[in-house]
Amino acid sequence: MHPAENKVRAEAISARINDAYKTLSNPLLRAQYLLGLRGVDVANDEALKVEEPDLLMAVLEAHEEIVEAEAEEDLDTPREENDARIAASEQALEHAFQHDDVDAAKHEAVRLRYWVNIKESLDNWEKGKDAVLEH
Amino acid sequence: MNKKDLDVGTGLVGAPACGDVMKLQIRVDPETNKISDVKFKTFGCGSAIASSSYLTELVRGMSLDEAGKVKNTEIAKELCLPPVKLHCSMLAEDAIKSAISDYYTKNPKAKITSLDGTGMKMPAAEATPAAAAA
C-alpha cells in the first residue's frame, strides 16, 4: 500500500499528464496553449471581439446549412468543406508558430475555434433537432 | 427579415473565446423610431441562445434610444447567468448595438442614439456627424 501523501501526488501528476496529452493532441488547444505562453489568451478573453464580418457570415451560413439538412447525406459536402477549413487553419497555425508570428497565430486560432464549433454541430446533427453547442 | 430593407438593422457579432455567432435583426418604425419587430439567430451554447432570446423580448417596442441603453448585466441578472457565461450576455448587448448602428448607417437622417460607455464605436453617419457626440 502507498502512503496517502503519495496517492495525492500521483493523482495530481496523472491529471497533469492527461491534460498535457489532451492539449498536445488537439490542434486548437495546442494553439491556445502556445499563445498563452506568449501572453495571449484567446480561450478566456471575454472582451475579445471578432472584427471580421466575412468570417461571421461564413460561420452563420455553415451553421444554417447544418440546421436545414434533411438527411445525413446532406451533411457530406458541408463536412468536406469544414474539414478543409480546419486543415487550412491548422497549416496556417503551424506556419505562424514556426515564424513566431503571434498576431497571425491569434487570428488563425480564433478562426479554428469557429471551425471546430461547426464540426461539433456537424457531429451532433440529428434530424429536426436544434443545434446547441456544449461548452 | 431582409437585411437589405432600409428599415431593417442587422447586427452580426461573434465571441472568439467560445466560437459563438449571433445575428440580431430589428425592424424600425421610421415614424416613431421604435423597434416594431426583432428576430435573432444564434449558434452557440444555451446561455448565448437564452441571452439573445431574452434580448429580443426586452427590446421589442422600445425606442432605439432605450434599446441602445440595454446593459448586459440586465440580461445576465434575469437569466441568472453564472460568471463563466457572462460573456454570452455581453454578446447579446453587442448584437443589439451593432444592429442599431447598422440601421443608422443605412438611415443617416435618423436621430443618432448615444452609445456612450459601451466600448462600441458608432460608424460615422455622413449626414449628421455632429449628432453622434451629442
Side-chain angles (χ1 to χ4, degrees):
Chain A
M1 286 287 275
H2 294 293
E5 67 264 37
N6 280 2
K7 188 182 171 219
V8 172
R9 194 178 144 77
E11 275 173 1
I13 292 175
S14 161
R16 181 90 180 128
I17 292 171
N18 281 332
D19 231 21
Y21 181 74
K22 203 173 101 189
T23 304
L24 283 171
S25 51
N26 178 322
L28 177 63
L29 292 177
R30 186 166 178 270
Q32 289 172 344
Y33 179 79
L34 287 173
L35 280 169
L37 290 181
R38 289 159 177 79
V40 181
D41 186 357
V42 280
N44 300 303
D45 188 351
E46 294 174 356
L48 217 61
K49 300 233 169 76
V50 184
E51 303 291 352
E52 278 183 277
D54 291 348
L55 170 65
L56 292 178
M57 210 31 138
V59 173
L60 194 75
E61 278 167 9
H63 279 292
E64 276 173 352
E65 204 173 11
I66 298 166
V67 170
E68 283 159 14
E70 297 284 332
E72 193 72 43
E73 299 86 76
D74 294 346
L75 298 178
D76 290 348
T77 315
R79 193 169 276 134
E80 268 171 40
E81 284 170 2
N82 199 51
D83 286 347
R85 285 193 282 250
I86 289 178
S89 276
E90 287 175 7
Q91 210 169 10
L93 277 168
E94 187 82 42
H95 185 265
F97 281 121
Q98 262 168 18
H99 295 82
D100 209 29
D101 187 343
V102 175
D103 284 337
K106 186 179 166 189
H107 176 248
E108 207 56 47
V110 167
R111 289 164 63 87
L112 182 58
R113 166 84 260 195
Y114 276 101
W115 310 146
V116 167
N117 270 13
I118 294 173
K119 183 172 162 48
E120 197 195 318
S121 278
L122 282 163
D123 292 344
N124 291 344
W125 180 85
E126 274 175 47
K127 195 172 160 53
K129 199 183 110 201
D130 276 341
V132 179
L133 299 171
E134 310 272 341
H135 52 245
Chain B
M1 279 188 226
N2 187 346
K3 68 173 181 180
K4 294 208 172 83
D5 283 357
L6 259 188
D7 59 348
V8 170
T10 303
L12 184 60
V13 292
C18 52
D20 288 353
V21 54
M22 192 179 278
K23 182 170 95 168
L24 190 88
Q25 291 191 303
I26 52 173
R27 192 181 291 281
V28 180
D29 183 340
E31 300 295 314
T32 59
N33 230 15
K34 282 192 172 159
I35 297 173
S36 58
D37 196 10
V38 46
K39 291 234 155 59
F40 78 96
K41 192 169 254 182
T42 298
F43 294 102
C45 64
S47 301
I49 297 171
S51 293
S52 42
S53 174
Y54 176 63
L55 178 77
T56 57
E57 295 305 317
L58 201 61
V59 300
R60 183 171 288 125
M62 271 187 182
S63 70
L64 290 181
D65 278 324
E66 291 165 333
K69 285 185 194 121
V70 169
K71 284 268 167 288
N72 78 295
T73 44
E74 219 174 307
I75 301 166
K77 202 174 155 209
E78 172 71 23
L79 299 174
C80 301
L81 293 181
V84 292
K85 289 293 179 186
L86 283 183
H87 66 276
C88 297
S89 60
M90 281 154 64
L91 195 60
E93 184 188 326
D94 286 344
I96 181 68
K97 299 212 150 95
S98 164
I100 295 172
S101 298
D102 181 55
Y103 175 76
Y104 281 130
T105 309
K106 282 157 126 186
N107 300 275
K109 292 210 173 80
K111 202 177 126 300
I112 294 290
T113 308
S114 163
L115 297 182
D116 284 351
T118 65
M120 183 125 191
K121 281 185 218 84
M122 289 287 291
E126 281 163 30
T128 53

